[in-house]
Amino acid sequence: MAFDSDLALRVREALLTISGALPDEKRMFGGLCFMIAGNMCCGILGDRLMARVGPDAYHALLAKPGAGEMDFTGRPMKGMLMIDADTVADDKALHDWLSHCFAFVRTLPPK
């Protein structure tokens, strides 16, 4: 599956602002993933944002408009959400979602 290169550029820029450093990138899950300290922070599948928000924030964020379970394996992946393209079309909305991702990933030990 290809990924939206414009969204990838916006994610890079936003994560640089949020984390203070450019994330590493890795092709995973048929898309592009952004890694911070060796841990997956978020990714892009097609034109949707794959958001790693962690188990504690999962249910509250799942209730937000445009958010859905990440279930391409046939089973929902707890702590991972898929965010519709329309939901992150606005830079502020994208920044807000990525802030949730960074807040979770910074709690993980570096790999």
Side-chain angles (χ1 to χ4, degrees):
M1 174 183 289
F3 61 88
D4 183 327
S5 59
D6 291 332
L7 180 55
L9 177 62
R10 293 175 55 227
V11 168
R12 280 183 204 104
E13 291 171 352
L15 283 176
L16 176 61
T17 301
I18 294 166
S19 71
L22 278 174
D24 292 327
E25 298 178 22
K26 188 174 188 179
R27 290 188 183 261
M28 294 173 64
F29 305 113
L32 182 66
C33 291
F34 296 89
M35 316 289 283
I36 295 178
N39 293 294
M40 183 189 153
C41 179
C42 62
I44 302 170
L45 286 175
D47 62 353
R48 299 187 307 161
L49 178 70
M50 184 172 35
R52 186 177 186 191
V53 297
D56 292 341
Y58 178 79
H59 291 289
L61 294 175
L62 180 60
K64 288 186 164 253
E69 293 179 329
M70 183 173 161
D71 64 356
F72 69 83
T73 62
R75 290 182 12 184
M77 297 177 72
K78 294 296 180 195
M80 300 286 292
L81 298 171
M82 295 301 294
I83 313 303
D84 293 336
D86 291 343
T87 302
V88 292
D90 174 74
D91 286 341
K92 182 185 179 331
L94 176 63
H95 191 276
D96 289 346
W97 276 105
L98 294 174
S99 293
H100 290 295
C101 297
F102 182 69
F104 172 70
V105 80
R106 71 181 182 168
T107 67
L108 303 174
K111 289 186 175 179

